Amino acid sequence: MADFSLEDLQAALQEVQKEKSSARLSERNVVELITKLQDLGLLSEALLHSVTGREYLTEARLREEVGDALHQSGGRLALVDLPTLLGVDFVHCERAAAQAVEDDPDLLHIGGELITAAHLEGLAREANQLLQESGVVAIGELAQLYKLSTELMQGLVEEKLGSLIQGRLHSGIIFTEAYVGRVKCQLRGALRGALRPVQMQQLHRTLGLQVSAGLAGRGAPTSALVEELVREQALQGSLRAGGEVWVPAAHLRAQQDAVLTFFNQNQYIEYSMLSKLGVVDNQLEYIYPLVPEGFALQSAFVDAALLERVEAAASDALVDSSWVDVHPLLPPALNSQDAALLLAECETVEGLGKGGAKRAAEGQVLSATCLVSAEFQAALEEKACNAARSLAAEALEDRKRASTAASTSAPEPSSHSTGKGATAAAEAADDSDDDWGPSGKGSARKKKGSKRKGGAPGKTKASSSSTAAAPRQRGQAQQAEHSRHRERLMPEALAELLVEWEPELEGAGEDGGLALALAQELRRPALAAFDQAMQAVFTAGAEARRRQREAIEARLEQAWKNMQATAHGVQALSEALQEPDSAACRAVERHAVRTRGADTADCLLQLLQVDMHEDAQDAQPPGGISAAERTALLNKLPDHLSKAARHAADTANGSDLQAAVAAVQALSEAAGVRLAKLERKAEKGLVAAHAQALRLQLATEEDPAAALSQAIPVLLARALGVLLSIPGKAIGAVTTLLQKHLNETDHQHLSRFHKLVVEQLLSDVKDEGIEQELQSLVPVLRHMAGIDANQTAHQ
Amino acid sequence: MSAGWDSETKETVKKIPLLTIRAGPRDKEEWGKRLKEELQALIKYIQLNKATDSDWFTITSGKDGTTWEGKCWYIHNLHKYEFSFEFDIPATYPAASPEIKIPELDGKTAKMYRGGAICLTVHFKPLWAKNCPHFGIAHALCLGLAPWLAAEIPFMIDEGAIKTSS
C-alpha cells in the first residue's frame, strides 16, 4: 500500500465509504422485525415456529414436509413421530396432518397414525401370504403383528376378504378352506372313536388345535364343524354344556342300559350310583322317563315293588297287633330316611294320619321307620305302669328305711360325745330307789330318764348344730330319693326295660331309637302310674297318722288327768303330813313330777311331732320316748314351740310339780292343744279306777316290796281320796300318816311289813326268816287294801 | 488508555494501524508520507466499522490533506441524527491534536467551545501526547468524536435541542 499515490488513497477512502455496510441484525431484532411485519399485516399467512424457536415456517411448508415424512416412512407414520422428524410442535403437526387427511382421500388417520391406503393394501397382501402358509391366523395375532387395533384389523380383513385375502372368517379367526377341511376330518375321526363324553378343550389339545382352541372357546369353529358333522350324520351324539362336551350316542345307550340293568336287578338305584354311571345333573329328570312307576327317595330311586313290600309288612304289623321296622326289609343301600319316606308313602300309614281318630288309634309311626300297632303299645304301656307301681312301692320302702335310719342315727354321735356326763349322772344315783316302780319295764324307762337328766344339757349344746341341720338334710335326701326313683322312669331307663321285655326292639328304628321313642310314648302314663301309687300311699299314711294322733290325744288326756290328780294328791298329802317341806313330801312330789309330769310332757311332744312330721309315725313307739329321741324331737320343733317345749321337758325332769303343770299348760297353749281341767267328780272316778287297778295287781303280787308299793297308794287313796304313787323313801312317812286312818293292828302290821321289807332290801344275804314272815304278812296287807280271799266280793 | 473510554472503543482503537512518520503540513515531503499513513489508517478504520455494522461517519479531505470534512451520525431510539463536522490539521501536528468542529450544534450544548469545536475529555490530550506521533486522524475520530456524540446527543435529544434528520 506504500506504493499507492496520495490520490489513489483518497479515492480508495471514498470507495471504502461507498461500500455497503454489512447488516448485523441480532435474533432479537429479527424477531422484532417479524413481529412488526405481522402487526402491520404485511404477511399473508400465519407463521409457525420450529421447536427450537430458531425457525419460522408457513403452514403450507409444514404440510409439504408432513407429506414428505410420510412418504419416506413407507406410508405409515405415527403422529407422535412428526415433531421429532420435522422439529415442529405436535399441535401444528397434528393440524397439518388433519389438513392433509382432509385433502387426500387415500390418507387415513387411524389411532394416532397416518396410514396410506397403499400401505393397508400391502398389509392385507402380507396377511394373506401368512394365512396361506399356516392355514389359520387369528385377527388378534395379525393385529399384534402389524401393531394395529384388533377392530381395525378386523375391518381391514373383512374388507379385503375374498379379494386380497383368500379364506373364511369366523369369530376373529381366518381360515383357509383347506384348513377347515383338515380340522373337520380330524374331528370326525376323533369323535367317531369316542365312547365316553369328551371335553372339547381336551380334544383340542389332543388334536393340536391350540391356535383355534385358545380363541375358539366361545362358539368355536370346531363346535360349528361338529354340528355340521352331526347334521351330515357323519357323527352320532350331541354337544352338551354349551358345546364344551361331546357325548357320543353310544355312551348314552350304554349308560341307560347300565342304569336299567342295575335298577331291574336291585329294584332301586342310588343317586351316587347314577353319578358313578355318569348321570350327574338332573338325575330325577333322567330316571323318571326310564322308570315312570318309581319313587324318588332321599338317597335313591326305588321301584314300586319295594313300596308294596313295605305296605304288606305294615298292614301285617297292624293286623297282628305287633310292630315292624321297615328299614331291615329294604335293600341295605337305602338309609333310614329313605325307609321313613317309603313308610310314609304306604297307604296304611297315610291312612293313620288322615283316617281320623279311629284309624289313628290303630297304630303310629315311631322312630321314623317303625310302625307300632296300638295294641302292642297298649300292652307295653300296661307293663310299664306295673313296673312304675312296683318302683313306687320300692321307693316307699326306701323312704321308710331312710327315715328310720335318720331318726335313730341322728342322735348317735351326741350320746358318744356326752358319754362321760351320762355315766357321771348314773353314778350319782340319788334317786336309785326309783326302782320301786310297779314293773321292771317302767323302772328301766325311768333309769333312762335319769340318765337324760345329766346328759341332756351337754347333749343339746354339743349336738345342736348337727341336729338342727338334720331336718333339712332329711328333706333333701327324700327329695333326692324321690327323683332317683323317677329317674328310673326316664326314657333311657324305660327303653332298657322295654328291650328287656321285648328283646327284638333292640336296635330297631332309626339309629336304633325305637325303644327310646316307645319309652318316650310310655313315659307319661308310667310316670302317672308312679305318682298315682305314691299318692295312694301318701293318703294311706295320712289316715294312719290321723289314727295315731287320736291315740296320742287320748293318752295325753289320760296323762294330763293323772297329772292333775297327782298334783291334788301331793297337795293333800303335804297338808295331811303337816310338814310340806319334809323329805318324804319332796320325794313324793319329785316322783310325781318324774312319772306323771314326764308322761304328759312326752305325750304332748309326740303330738307335736305327729303334727309336724307326717311320716314320723313309725319311728315312735306308742309307749314313750327315750331321752335321745326327745332331744332330737326338741331340735326339730319350730322356733315358736321350741322354747316352751324345752321348758316343759326341763321341768318334767325337775322336782317342782306345780312348775311342771304350769310348763305343760304353757306348751299346750303355744301348740294350740286344748287341755281340759280335771273336775272333782272325774278325779274321784279316776282315783277309784286307779285304786282298783292297783288292787288287781296287788291281788296277784308275790314280791313283798312290790306288794307294799302297791298297797300304800290304795290305802292312801282310801284314807285321803287322792291318787299318788309313793316312792320308797316316803313310805315310812306315809305309813305313819296312815296310823290315823287304820286300826291299831293293821297299822302295826303295816309298820312291821315295811320294816321287814327295808331289812330285806338292805341285807345282802337272803334271810329265810324275814322272807317267811313277809310272805305270811302279804295276805294281811291285801286284806288291809280291801282285798279278800274272795276277790269278787270287792269288785 | 486506561480510563475514559468504553471497552468497545478501546478494542477498536487497538485495531487501527499506528502511524510512524512524525510530520506536519509544514514538512512538505514528510507530510505526504504522513498523509498516506493517515489515509490508510482511515480506510482501515472505515473497513472495520463496515465489517462490524457500526459505520458512523463519512470523511473527505482537501487536496493537501490539511482540511477535512464529513458527516457523522448517531442512532438513538431508532432515529438517526446526522451532523456535519470539519477540522483543520494544526501546524504543530501531530504534536497537537486536530480540533473537530460541529458548527450546527454550536450554542446547543455546554460541551463545546466557541466556533463549534467539541470539548474533548480530559483523558484525550494526555493520551494523544503520549502516543505522538502514532495516533492520527482515525484515532482522533475514534477516541474523540465518537465518545462525544455518544455522550452528548442523547442529552440534547432529551432537551429537544436537536431533531432527527430522518
Side-chain angles (χ1 to χ4, degrees):
Chain A
M1 194 167 281
D3 300 336
F4 291 127
S5 67
L6 197 60
E7 287 75 21
D8 289 344
L9 284 174
Q10 281 176 330
L13 178 63
Q14 293 310 315
E15 281 304 308
V16 165
Q17 289 179 48
K18 281 176 191 162
E19 276 175 19
K20 194 174 177 353
S21 173
S22 70
R24 287 266 297 178
L25 285 175
S26 70
E27 274 178 25
R28 199 170 54 82
N29 293 354
V30 175
V31 171
E32 275 175 12
L33 266 175
I34 298 290
T35 315
K36 189 85 179 171
L37 284 173
Q38 279 175 331
D39 285 349
L40 294 173
L42 293 175
L43 294 174
S44 60
E45 216 176 343
L47 286 180
L48 307 174
H49 294 279
S50 71
V51 178
T52 54
R54 293 192 164 277
E55 288 171 295
Y56 284 102
L57 73 167
T58 60
E59 284 179 353
R61 170 75 187 181
L62 184 62
R63 274 203 295 279
E64 205 174 300
E65 284 190 6
V66 166
D68 288 349
L70 183 62
H71 183 68
Q72 276 180 356
S73 63
R76 182 173 176 183
L77 185 60
L79 280 184
V80 288
D81 291 341
L82 279 174
T84 42
L85 280 175
L86 305 181
V88 181
D89 193 67
F90 181 73
V91 182
H92 304 308
C93 291
E94 201 176 21
R95 199 183 301 141
Q99 189 65 44
V101 169
E102 211 171 279
D103 294 347
D104 185 355
D106 282 344
L107 198 57
L108 299 174
H109 179 200
I110 298 157
E113 283 185 307
L114 287 176
I115 301 176
T116 58
H119 179 74
L120 285 181
E121 277 189 17
L123 285 188
R125 280 199 193 86
E126 231 177 283
N128 188 44
Q129 203 174 348
L130 209 61
L131 174 66
Q132 299 308 326
E133 277 171 14
S134 63
V136 56
V137 171
I139 283 186
E141 279 177 18
L142 286 178
Q144 213 170 357
L145 187 63
Y146 298 127
K147 297 195 171 55
L148 285 173
S149 76
T150 316
E151 291 77 16
L152 174 65
M153 202 65 217
Q154 174 107 13
L156 177 64
V157 168
E158 277 170 4
E159 191 187 320
K160 306 291 180 191
L161 207 63
S163 55
L164 286 176
I165 299 176
Q166 303 296 325
R168 255 165 59 172
L169 178 68
H170 188 284
S171 52
I173 298 171
I174 324 167
F175 307 91
T176 57
E177 288 295 339
Y179 176 79
V180 172
R182 202 161 67 234
V183 171
K184 194 169 167 181
C185 290
Q186 276 178 309
L187 286 173
R188 182 165 55 220
L191 295 181
R192 268 190 181 173
L195 286 176
R196 350 171 98 249
V198 178
Q199 293 282 336
M200 290 309 279
Q201 296 253 3
Q202 180 75 33
L203 190 67
H204 288 150
R205 273 198 290 279
T206 317
L207 296 181
L209 300 177
Q210 289 93 333
V211 178
S212 50
L215 288 155
R218 315 169 298 268
T222 47
S223 308
L225 286 177
V226 170
E227 276 159 16
E228 205 174 299
L229 284 168
V230 172
R231 274 200 300 281
E232 290 167 4
Q233 297 196 328
L235 289 176
Q236 287 192 334
S238 56
L239 271 180
R240 300 266 175 92
E244 289 290 327
V245 183
W246 165 255
V247 184
H251 172 75
L252 290 176
R253 276 196 301 277
Q255 188 182 47
Q256 190 169 326
D257 285 349
V259 168
L260 280 178
T261 310
F262 187 91
F263 188 82
N264 291 333
Q265 276 175 356
N266 299 297
Q267 294 185 317
Y268 74 91
I269 184 159
E270 296 161 270
Y271 299 134
S272 56
M273 176 59 88
L274 276 178
S275 301
K276 261 187 227 165
L277 290 174
V279 185
V280 179
D281 302 319
N282 304 325
Q283 293 178 324
L284 285 181
E285 284 171 27
Y286 178 82
I287 191 111
Y288 259 127
L290 293 179
V291 195
E293 69 278 12
F295 284 98
L297 299 181
Q298 199 199 35
S299 70
F301 189 83
V302 300
D303 196 11
L306 281 185
L307 181 63
E308 282 164 21
R309 203 191 292 173
V310 170
E311 177 85 53
S315 52
D316 278 358
L318 287 188
V319 169
D320 295 349
S321 304
S322 173
W323 62 279
V324 66
D325 181 2
V326 297
H327 195 192
L329 302 177
L330 298 174
L334 302 188
N335 63 26
S336 55
Q337 280 155 330
D338 294 334
L341 281 173
L342 209 52
L343 184 60
E345 282 287 325
C346 281
E347 279 178 27
T348 321
V349 176
E350 270 187 338
L352 291 180
K354 295 174 190 165
K358 193 185 164 211
R359 291 302 310 277
E362 283 178 22
Q364 61 173 331
V365 174
L366 284 177
S367 186
T369 62
C370 300
L371 179 66
V372 180
S373 73
E375 286 88 347
F376 182 76
Q377 194 175 335
L380 283 182
E381 188 176 317
E382 185 56 37
K383 276 188 178 181
C385 288
N386 286 337
R389 281 184 206 111
S390 58
L391 201 58
E394 205 178 306
L396 281 171
E397 282 297 316
D398 283 357
R399 185 186 295 187
K400 276 180 193 170
R401 266 203 303 282
S403 58
T404 315
S407 63
T408 51
S409 68
E412 200 73 14
S414 57
S415 69
H416 284 303
S417 65
T418 57
K420 195 181 166 190
T423 27
E427 277 167 10
D430 59 340
D431 50 354
S432 56
D433 43 7
D434 280 359
D435 290 356
W436 288 60
S439 65
K441 193 182 173 188
S443 66
R445 199 190 67 198
K446 288 197 188 83
K447 262 193 177 172
K448 264 189 181 169
S450 70
K451 266 188 188 176
R452 187 191 61 206
K453 176 189 148 200
K459 193 186 297 176
T460 36
K461 198 175 173 187
S463 63
S464 61
S465 61
S466 65
T467 46
R472 197 168 60 244
Q473 283 173 354
R474 194 165 147 202
Q476 284 171 354
Q478 277 183 11
Q479 198 60 39
E481 185 75 8
H482 188 70
S483 57
R484 189 170 65 78
H485 283 98
R486 277 180 75 102
E487 263 172 28
R488 289 173 64 180
L489 291 173
M490 289 298 276
E492 289 77 13
L494 209 50
E496 282 175 22
L497 269 182
L498 289 177
V499 171
E500 210 172 288
W501 296 331
E502 299 281 342
E504 287 177 8
L505 286 177
E506 188 167 12
E510 189 179 20
D511 303 328
L514 175 59
L516 198 57
L518 259 177
Q520 296 275 22
E521 290 287 321
L522 298 181
R523 183 169 178 248
R524 189 185 292 270
L527 275 181
F530 178 82
D531 289 343
Q532 207 179 348
M534 292 296 280
Q535 189 63 39
V537 173
F538 183 77
T539 321
E543 180 63 24
R545 212 159 43 247
R546 192 178 57 78
R547 279 200 298 278
Q548 193 194 10
R549 189 189 152 89
E550 278 172 5
I552 293 173
E553 271 177 343
R555 274 200 290 126
L556 174 63
E557 197 180 348
Q558 191 59 41
W560 175 238
K561 277 179 185 172
N562 286 343
M563 190 174 179
Q564 282 178 304
T566 309
H568 286 148
V570 168
Q571 204 175 354
L573 183 67
S574 64
E575 281 168 10
L577 285 174
Q578 293 169 341
E579 287 177 61
D581 291 335
S582 70
C585 209
R586 277 205 308 278
V588 169
E589 189 175 357
R590 178 187 168 95
H591 183 73
V593 169
R594 301 226 170 169
T595 53
R596 302 305 185 192
D599 277 350
T600 314
D602 283 354
C603 283
L604 204 48
L605 285 178
Q606 278 179 327
L607 194 63
L608 292 177
Q609 181 190 20
V610 170
D611 284 348
M612 194 174 58
H613 303 290
E614 61 272 17
D615 55 347
Q617 69 276 32
D618 291 334
Q620 300 301 328
I625 50 179
S626 67
E629 286 162 358
R630 186 179 299 138
T631 313
L633 191 52
L634 283 174
N635 283 329
K636 282 181 211 164
L637 285 176
D639 291 343
H640 69 284
L641 289 176
S642 180
K643 197 179 167 192
R646 276 181 203 287
H647 184 57
D650 288 346
T651 51
N653 228 358
S655 56
D656 188 347
L657 187 58
Q658 291 307 322
V661 169
V664 166
Q665 276 176 331
L667 177 58
S668 71
E669 273 171 29
V673 178
R674 205 173 63 82
L675 290 177
K677 193 169 167 56
L678 186 63
E679 288 174 10
R680 194 75 196 157
K681 200 174 161 189
E683 188 182 351
K684 273 186 183 170
L686 195 66
V687 171
H690 189 65
Q692 186 58 30
L694 286 173
R695 274 192 208 104
L696 283 177
Q697 285 178 12
L698 184 59
T700 55
E701 187 59 68
E702 294 299 327
D703 179 34
L708 182 63
S709 73
Q710 284 160 3
I712 292 292
V714 174
L715 292 174
L716 203 58
R718 198 173 352 154
L720 297 178
V722 296
L723 176 62
L724 277 176
S725 60
I726 307 299
K729 277 182 185 171
I731 282 179
V734 173
T735 310
T736 318
L737 175 71
L738 282 173
Q739 194 177 5
K740 284 186 270 181
H741 302 278
L742 291 175
N743 56 37
E744 193 67 21
T745 3
D746 283 352
H747 185 247
Q748 279 176 358
H749 282 136
L750 191 60
S751 302
R752 178 66 186 161
F753 196 90
H754 176 226
K755 197 178 157 197
L756 289 172
V757 167
V758 172
E759 277 176 15
Q760 188 195 28
L761 287 175
L762 291 177
S763 68
D764 294 337
V765 192
K766 213 172 183 184
D767 191 331
E768 287 292 325
I770 292 173
E771 209 162 296
Q772 275 180 6
E773 194 176 354
L774 278 174
Q775 287 301 332
S776 66
L777 279 175
V778 166
V780 180
L781 204 62
R782 285 180 186 151
H783 176 73
M784 273 195 292
I787 304 167
D788 292 337
N790 185 1
Q791 286 194 359
T792 49
H794 296 285
Q795 290 174 351
Chain B
M1 263 184 85
S2 56
W5 294 276
D6 61 280
S7 59
E8 204 177 330
T9 307
K10 288 177 194 166
E11 285 299 311
T12 313
V13 165
K14 280 180 190 167
K15 288 174 186 167
I16 300 172
L18 291 173
L19 286 69
T20 54
I21 295 170
R22 185 188 289 266
R26 290 180 194 164
D27 310 318
K28 294 283 183 195
E29 198 63 27
E30 285 301 301
W31 171 243
K33 290 179 185 171
R34 169 79 191 195
L35 192 55
K36 279 184 186 177
E37 280 184 345
E38 292 280 4
L39 286 170
Q40 281 170 347
L42 273 171
I43 288 169
K44 181 68 183 172
Y45 182 42
I46 289 171
Q47 277 174 341
L48 279 173
N49 282 345
K50 297 257 181 198
T52 57
D53 193 20
S54 55
D55 194 21
W56 65 275
F57 69 95
T58 56
I59 191 164
T60 55
S61 67
K63 198 167 182 183
D64 55 355
T66 55
T67 56
W68 296 78
E69 62 180 14
K71 284 186 184 294
C72 65
W73 57 89
Y74 185 81
I75 293 174
H76 181 74
N77 283 348
L78 300 179
H79 290 291
K80 192 177 181 182
Y81 298 86
E82 200 173 42
F83 313 99
S84 298
F85 69 92
E86 56 184 32
F87 59 89
D88 297 327
I89 299 296
T92 54
Y93 189 83
S97 62
E99 281 186 3
I100 301 166
K101 297 173 192 165
I102 304 175
E104 58 189 291
L105 293 181
D106 188 12
K108 288 184 177 174
T109 173
K111 298 289 182 73
M112 188 169 269
Y113 302 104
R114 185 94 28 100
I118 60 170
C119 207
L120 294 173
T121 71
V122 288
H123 307 290
F124 180 77
K125 283 199 191 275
L127 187 66
W128 182 272
K130 193 176 163 191
N131 285 294
C132 181
H134 304 302
F135 275 10
I137 296 167
H139 294 94
L141 289 174
C142 181
L143 294 173
L145 181 57
W148 188 88
L149 285 176
E152 299 306 320
I153 298 303
F155 188 70
M156 282 189 281
I157 293 166
D158 285 350
E159 286 193 331
I162 51 175
K163 293 243 188 287
T164 176
S165 57
S166 59

